[in-house]
Amino acid sequence: MVSRVIPVDAFDLVIFGGTGDLAKRKILPGLYRRFQAGQMTENSRIIGAARADLNEDSFRALVAEAIEEFVPKDRQDSKIVAQFLEKIGYVSIDATGEGGWGKLKDLMRDGVVRAFYFSVAPSLFGDIAERLHLHEIADAQSRIVVEKPFGRDLASAKALNAVLAAHFTEAQIYRIDHYLGKETVQNLMAVRFANILFEPLWKAEYVDHVQITVAETVGVDGRGAYYDKSGAMRDMVQNHMMQLLCLIAMEPPYHFDPDAVRDEKLKVIRALDPVKPEHIVRGQYLAGGGEGSYVEHSEDPSSKTESYIALKVNVSNWRWQGTPFYLRTGKRLRARASEIAITFKQPPHSIFDDAKGWLENVLVIRLQPNEGMNLMVMIKEPGPGGMRLMQVPLDMAFADALGVDAEDVPDAYERLIMDVIRGNQTLFMRGDEVEAAWAWTDPLIEGWEARGDKPQGYDAGSSGPEDALMLMHRDGRRWREIKG
Ligand code: BG6
């Protein structure tokens, strides 16, 4: 099945931090893929803006290298790369001074969408926003895109929202959470709200518990300085996992409309109970598999930063009271595997002697790898051995089911950047959502800091710390196996 590509309006996209890591890994290769797919029109342009003293040609060379390194080899086409490079410009700019802004202004065209991607440290957001405004480079239709980390607590997130709000309206601000751009994450909404099958069962009465796992094999390598001030809670839970939880727990919005969806997500965040200390397990990876331990990557040999966290979370509202949400995420675990598993309750009465204790339906939504869905159902074991039951998956791997080559499923960034140009904010976080997420996160972090809690060591390549197993065992439940 060939997916439909609808070209977006012509645009000028300025990437501040155009020579940085995110631009090279994700933004520029993603734009190339959209150009190749025919979604970025001929009349669109991308302008790198960074402090480096490059000219157009040297920046184009950098873009070509990024494509070569980060686009799959069989999707690189030299003719298309050459056409794409023609769309690229560059301005050397001083975010905190005046150099380069006049040139940028001259480059801007009327009659096309203007978008400004702030792929820079959040401490520069205010300076850039102010200069875009002062030099009249941004107009009332312009959009700005900002990345995480969006603050490191409620106070800093509020301050960032305030500096942006000084020059842009909320409708112009696109806060990226790249998890919302993942194909399966959006499918979660389709599955819930376009099928009658699940929704009647989607509540505490029928759902025993929900597990959300984001397991990574990578360590913090090279990002120690950032990560040590962040930890798994700030890096993954406050944003990505919170968004996943919201999409599962939220009420049906009245329409698939940016504010309708975001209003419902906000209600979920506000309904989260504070998490009890005994429902938080923090871990830190030990050396193993030829790689050093977490503290070896940290600048602080006694660092108490967690590279793993598991939480039991309660959504205090009518729909979910009594159904715990267990979240876990960590680095250097046994496999890269992200999934959401919804375990339904057992039937009220079993008529089968053989099956006591395990009549269990589980809906598994796999985010990565092998995106897809799996519904575990009970059937009769084949053969003449009487009525014996077994659990089998109704498996739908999206790539197989839809005949799509996994390489052609757009990356989260590709989709999100196209949404910016289309002016669709559904998959971006609103300022009040981010603040509500911090308001829930802050007391948890303050709590463990005040108690002086240390993370428990766990072996690299394992499933995480022992205490995380206990978190579920105590409730008579267990984590699903982490499998790639
Ligand atoms: C980022 C985090 O936001 O998400 C990283 O800062 C993490 O620490 C990454 O590795 C995971 O993203 P993905 O798309 O690879 O699951």
Side-chain angles (χ1 to χ4, degrees), residues 1 51 108 114 147 159 219 239 266 345 373 375 452 461 480:
M1 195 179 90
R51 208 166 343 152
M108 296 280 102
R114 288 186 192 180
E147 275 288 336
N239 37 68
L266 180 62
K345 288 189 172 161
M373 274 181 18
L375 179 63
R480 288 169 51 79

Side-chain angles (χ1 to χ4, degrees), residues 122-123 125-126 149-152 155-165 175:
S123 55
F125 287 1
F150 200 84
R152 67 182 311 274
S156 51
K158 276 189 170 168
L160 282 180
N161 273 336
V163 294
L164 297 180
R175 293 178 195 77

Side-chain angles (χ1 to χ4, degrees), residues 281-301:
V281 178
R282 294 162 64 239
Q284 200 180 66
Y285 63 80
L286 303 170
E291 287 208 38
S293 65
Y294 177 82
V295 282
E296 286 169 57
H297 290 282
S298 157
E299 284 163 6
D300 172 7

Side-chain angles (χ1 to χ4, degrees), residues 234-435:
R234 289 188 173 98
D235 187 49
M236 295 297 288
V237 178
Q238 184 272 345
N239 37 68
H240 307 323
M241 299 193 80
M242 174 76 82
Q243 290 295 324
L244 299 179
L245 186 153
C246 284
L247 295 178
I248 301 165
M250 74 188 200
E251 295 299 316
Y254 74 90
H255 191 247
F256 192 60
D257 156 276
D259 277 326
V261 171
R262 297 186 300 176
D263 286 345
E264 296 306 334
K265 287 196 294 165
L266 180 62
K267 288 183 207 163
V268 174
I269 304 174
R270 291 194 170 145
L272 297 179
D273 280 347
V275 183
K276 297 183 183 143
E278 62 270 28
H279 292 162
I280 305 175
V281 178
R282 294 162 64 239
Q284 200 180 66
Y285 63 80
L286 303 170
E291 287 208 38
S293 65
Y294 177 82
V295 282
E296 286 169 57
H297 290 282
S298 157
E299 284 163 6
D300 172 7
S302 59
S303 170
K304 288 191 202 146
T305 302
E306 76 284 354
S307 60
Y308 175 101
I309 190 164
L311 301 159
K312 178 179 174 184
V313 177
N314 188 31
V315 184
S316 234
N317 61 18
W318 273 44
R319 186 185 280 263
W320 294 114
Q321 194 55 260
T323 294
F325 284 66
Y326 298 92
L327 318 185
R328 65 176 162 166
T329 181
K331 300 210 179 277
R332 298 285 285 134
L333 295 177
R334 63 188 304 169
R336 178 170 188 257
S338 302
E339 63 168 42
I340 298 165
I342 293 139
T343 300
F344 292 91
K345 288 189 172 161
Q346 312 239 337
H349 164 71
S350 169
I351 61 170
F352 304 107
D353 294 338
D354 172 56
K356 287 203 183 79
W358 61 290
L359 286 172
E360 193 174 79
N361 297 126
V362 188
L363 176 66
V364 182
I365 299 147
R366 275 196 315 272
L367 307 184
Q368 57 201 25
N370 314 322
E371 308 186 336
M373 274 181 18
N374 231 320
L375 179 63
M376 306 303 291
V377 292
M378 304 302 300
I379 61 160
K380 178 191 165 296
E381 209 177 282
M387 190 51 131
R388 290 196 310 258
L389 300 183
M390 65 186 286
Q391 199 185 39
V392 292
L394 290 182
D395 195 356
M396 192 172 99
F398 288 145
D400 297 347
L402 304 176
V404 180
D405 185 335
E407 295 285 10
D408 287 328
V409 175
D411 171 76
Y413 277 90
E414 295 177 42
R415 185 189 320 276
L416 294 174
I417 297 170
M418 291 300 105
D419 276 357
V420 172
I421 307 300
R422 277 190 283 251
N424 185 343
Q425 288 186 305
T426 311
L427 299 176
F428 296 83
M429 291 178 301
R430 212 167 51 191
D432 50 4
E433 252 184 281
V434 179
E435 289 184 12

